[in-house]
Amino acid sequence: MNFDIAIVIAIEMNIKVQNISKSYNKIKAVDAVTFEVNSGELFGLIGPDGAGKTTIFRILTTLLMPDEGNATVAEYDVVADYKAIRSSVGYMPGKFSLYQDLTVEENLEFFATIFGTTLAENYALIADIYIQLEPFKDRRAGALSGGMKQKLALCCALIHAPKVLFLDEPTTGVDPVSRKEFWQMLKRLQLKGITILVSTPYMDEASLCDRIALIQKGKILKIDAPQVITANYEKLIYDIQSKNTHGLIHDLKNYSSHYSVYAFGEFIHYIDKNVDFKPEDLQQYLEEKNHSDIIIKKAETTIEDVFMDL
Amino acid sequence: MVFETLQVSIIIMNKEKIIQVEKLTKTFGNFTAVKGITFDVYKGEIFGFLGANGAGKTTAMKMLIGISNPTSGKAIVAGLDVATQSDLVKMNIGYMSQKFSLYDDLTVNENITFFGGIYGLSRKQIKEKSIQLVEELEMQNVANNLVGALPLGWKQKLSFSVALLHEPKIVFLDEPTGGVDPITRRQFWEMIYTQAHKGTTIFVTTHYMDEAEYCDRVSIMVDGVIEALDTPKNLKQQFKVNSMNDVFLKLARNIE
């Protein structure tokens, strides 16, 4: 019985985007983008500012019409059935868009009323997030810290128990602790059967999604599970370290067979052009350049490595 | 190892202090946002100022750049008292934030001219600086384009250079790389390194923990106090973890 219901839901909650394009004046913000999000999936749009992420969100939440292509959300067409979409999706825009002069509680009640429901009716869905906000429920939204604003915005987007949740850069400008908590919340929402499309400029968050689309300059460069994307990366990356990081970057860039040199936390990620690259040769070169405490070892490929090589 | 640590501390002792903060406190009504923080920043250092949202970072930084008066305690920035010489502080520091940096409706050249004027540069100086800066950033082709039309990464690089127009001894960067693409983010840090090597002190906040690794020293604020301050390497050793992200998570958990 439950199984049947699951199948019915599975048909309803996916997102299909086919050849969507959108230009502002002469600038193509989104260029023939195609992807599908499966029902119940946590799907990430990963890319920097200006990649076209927000435009895609606005089209899917019916706030903007595409120039070309078509898209459906929960089987509803984003143009023809826009009203049905608006009542069945939750949207958390990138810019904080709640009423700054209303308190936490007033904002929640306001959004509940707009969607014809009450805070009590869907409380179970937001309970574990709202508990953290409750001590501040009489505080005006404008006076909340970044992490708290983000939690309130998520509650407001969930208040009408949407089937599909759109989160546009929910963790931008948010500290690592709040970011981690936020992703734990998303995982719990996913377990409740909500399909989630989330965008982020933080590449380390990509690995927390079921599948991701890497996007830059309006074009999707790759779609797959994050683990598959990193596993399929064929180049060998080395972690390199010495006492003088800035000098190391400079000297590695002057090493004749270098392919790419990027700082990665405490190490430099180095890729060589040659298949028969010998770390010993590089070690010797760096010693000649007076580097000390040199470490050269194989690195683990991250999404950010792949992204920078696209 | 002990010898190495000793050497480091001797080098630091010989360094000129460019920021001296002593028991700096800021209270709003009955809420104390910054609770008597004490630390020094040395000349030419890249100093990472980290903390969770709401930990008091922005409030502390506002006091250091002279736009918010301390409730108590003292801060000397570039030899000037932030409480009594705030106007002079503003003339002697550079500031760049992600939220506000340049005017979108002015061109690259107009922005340089405008901020050069604000910082009190002469017309001649502004002219020379404009040419030099546009050349260094390889923005000759867009020098007369509106800043609003530039990619974010370009804006951030330009904004950093503009913050350095008046050759300040110290520059404050408030989340300079938020949302910037990974390659530009790294290019930006190379600019920071280069500037630090010229002797400019860099005071920077970021939410990218890999960037915390690029700082000479890092402080982590939790709930209005500085909970930790050391080199990234020492902090990782102290907390027995492998990354600055884990240091941060260990320190800043369960706040707000």
Side-chain angles (χ1 to χ4, degrees), chain A residues 55-184:
Chain A
T55 302
I56 293 173
F57 275 99
R58 290 204 174 138
I59 290 170
L60 294 178
T61 51
T62 76
L63 300 174
L64 202 62
M65 302 239 275
D67 296 337
E68 287 164 61
N70 52 63
T72 61
V73 174
E75 311 261 284
Y76 297 118
D77 185 88
V78 291
V79 179
D81 310 318
Y82 73 96
K83 278 188 179 165
I85 291 181
R86 287 181 188 184
S87 59
S88 54
V89 307
Y91 174 44
M92 181 173 158
K95 196 173 164 232
F96 185 69
S97 306
L98 304 180
Y99 291 92
Q100 311 253 6
D101 295 336
L102 295 185
T103 66
V104 167
E105 204 172 23
E106 285 166 348
N107 264 298
L108 275 168
E109 275 166 6
F110 176 80
F111 283 96
T113 311
I114 291 275
F115 285 105
T117 180
T118 59
L119 183 51
E121 198 173 331
N122 295 314
Y123 186 74
L125 193 59
I126 62 163
D128 64 328
I129 312 165
Y130 188 64
I131 280 167
Q132 300 172 60
L133 279 168
E134 210 153 19
F136 310 100
K137 68 178 169 117
D138 296 322
R139 191 182 286 188
R140 288 182 187 199
L144 294 172
S145 72
M148 284 293 158
K149 276 185 183 161
Q150 170 218 43
K151 288 183 183 110
L152 177 59
L154 180 61
C155 283
C156 289
L158 284 167
I159 198 72
H160 57 298
K163 297 168 184 164
V164 182
L165 193 55
F166 292 95
L167 307 168
D168 191 6
E169 297 206 13
T171 55
T172 293
V174 173
D175 70 71
V177 177
S178 303
R179 276 171 53 194
K180 197 178 173 185
E181 287 172 358
F182 194 84
W183 278 92
Q184 287 164 347

Side-chain angles (χ1 to χ4, degrees), chain B residues 23-88:
Chain B
K23 293 182 186 155
L24 193 66
T25 301
K26 181 77 185 187
T27 302
F28 300 104
N30 53 15
F31 173 68
T32 305
V34 176
K35 300 171 181 168
I37 57 172
T38 298
F39 66 96
D40 295 323
V41 179
Y42 306 102
K43 187 175 184 298
E45 184 173 43
I46 302 177
F47 188 86
F49 196 61
L50 312 185
N53 299 113
K57 247 176 1 196
T58 307
T59 308
M61 193 139 150
K62 278 183 179 170
M63 289 191 277
L64 295 181
I65 62 175
I67 61 170
S68 169
N69 251 328
T71 309
S72 66
K74 203 171 174 128
I76 306 291
V77 173
L80 301 158
D81 189 323
V82 298
T84 57
Q85 299 170 292
S86 62
D87 283 346
L88 281 171

Side-chain angles (χ1 to χ4, degrees), chain A:
Chain A
M1 188 61 209
N2 276 338
F3 190 60
D4 288 347
I5 289 170
I7 288 171
V8 173
I9 291 169
I11 295 162
E12 277 184 355
M13 290 171 26
N14 57 2
I15 302 169
K16 282 185 190 165
V17 179
Q18 276 174 323
N19 256 319
I20 288 277
S21 291
K22 179 77 191 177
S23 299
Y24 302 110
N25 296 323
K26 279 177 189 160
I27 298 161
K28 212 155 200 184
V30 174
D31 192 357
V33 160
T34 298
F35 66 94
E36 271 183 43
V37 180
N38 300 321
S39 186
E41 197 171 30
L42 176 51
F43 190 96
L45 273 182
I46 317 288
D49 281 19
K53 304 189 299 286
T54 299
T55 302
I56 293 173
F57 275 99
R58 290 204 174 138
I59 290 170
L60 294 178
T61 51
T62 76
L63 300 174
L64 202 62
M65 302 239 275
D67 296 337
E68 287 164 61
N70 52 63
T72 61
V73 174
E75 311 261 284
Y76 297 118
D77 185 88
V78 291
V79 179
D81 310 318
Y82 73 96
K83 278 188 179 165
I85 291 181
R86 287 181 188 184
S87 59
S88 54
V89 307
Y91 174 44
M92 181 173 158
K95 196 173 164 232
F96 185 69
S97 306
L98 304 180
Y99 291 92
Q100 311 253 6
D101 295 336
L102 295 185
T103 66
V104 167
E105 204 172 23
E106 285 166 348
N107 264 298
L108 275 168
E109 275 166 6
F110 176 80
F111 283 96
T113 311
I114 291 275
F115 285 105
T117 180
T118 59
L119 183 51
E121 198 173 331
N122 295 314
Y123 186 74
L125 193 59
I126 62 163
D128 64 328
I129 312 165
Y130 188 64
I131 280 167
Q132 300 172 60
L133 279 168
E134 210 153 19
F136 310 100
K137 68 178 169 117
D138 296 322
R139 191 182 286 188
R140 288 182 187 199
L144 294 172
S145 72
M148 284 293 158
K149 276 185 183 161
Q150 170 218 43
K151 288 183 183 110
L152 177 59
L154 180 61
C155 283
C156 289
L158 284 167
I159 198 72
H160 57 298
K163 297 168 184 164
V164 182
L165 193 55
F166 292 95
L167 307 168
D168 191 6
E169 297 206 13
T171 55
T172 293
V174 173
D175 70 71
V177 177
S178 303
R179 276 171 53 194
K180 197 178 173 185
E181 287 172 358
F182 194 84
W183 278 92
Q184 287 164 347
M185 282 183 249
L186 292 192
K187 288 278 179 193
R188 287 197 292 270
L189 289 172
Q190 190 190 10
L191 290 177
K192 287 176 182 161
I194 299 175
T195 304
I196 303 172
L197 179 66
V198 59
S199 69
T200 178
Y202 294 102
M203 304 276 158
D204 58 340
E205 293 181 342
S207 60
L208 303 168
C209 302
D210 298 328
R211 286 192 308 141
I212 56 170
L214 299 180
I215 179 168
Q216 191 159 31
K217 291 176 187 157
K219 285 192 172 144
I220 287 186
L221 309 169
K222 226 174 194 109
I223 303 176
D224 218 322
Q227 299 77 9
V228 175
I229 289 178
T230 49
N232 285 348
Y233 188 70
E234 70 289 359
K235 296 188 184 87
L236 206 50
I237 306 169
Y238 287 89
D239 270 336
I240 303 190
Q241 192 181 51
S242 84
K243 264 188 136 175
N244 170 6
T245 308
H246 188 215
L248 183 62
I249 294 175
H250 183 259
D251 289 334
L252 286 172
K253 282 187 174 172
N254 286 327
Y255 192 59
S256 59
S257 61
H258 86 274
Y259 173 76
S260 69
V261 177
Y262 291 119
F264 255 85
E266 61 178 328
F267 293 101
I268 308 296
H269 275 192
Y270 175 85
I271 301 176
D272 200 90
K273 274 187 234 166
N274 298 333
V275 194
D276 57 347
F277 166 72
K278 290 190 187 72
E280 310 87 72
D281 296 345
L282 182 61
Q283 171 99 22
Q284 196 187 343
Y285 164 81
L286 291 175
E287 278 165 8
E288 280 163 17
K289 294 278 177 190
N290 291 321
H291 284 279
S292 59
D293 298 354
I294 300 167
I295 297 175
I296 302 180
K297 60 182 174 71
K298 278 179 191 160
E300 248 177 69
T301 307
T302 70
I303 291 292
E304 199 157 6
D305 289 299
V306 180
F307 191 91
M308 288 196 290
D309 198 20
L310 285 171

Side-chain angles (χ1 to χ4, degrees), chain B residues 84-115:
Chain B
T84 57
Q85 299 170 292
S86 62
D87 283 346
L88 281 171
V89 168
K90 286 174 214 158
M91 294 302 295
N92 281 280
I93 60 161
Y95 175 76
M96 163 192 172
S97 92
Q98 196 208 346
K99 287 182 191 100
F100 172 79
S101 45
L102 301 166
Y103 288 97
D104 278 351
D105 297 337
L106 297 182
T107 68
V108 171
N109 272 330
E110 284 166 349
N111 264 291
I112 298 171
T113 307
F114 176 80
F115 282 99

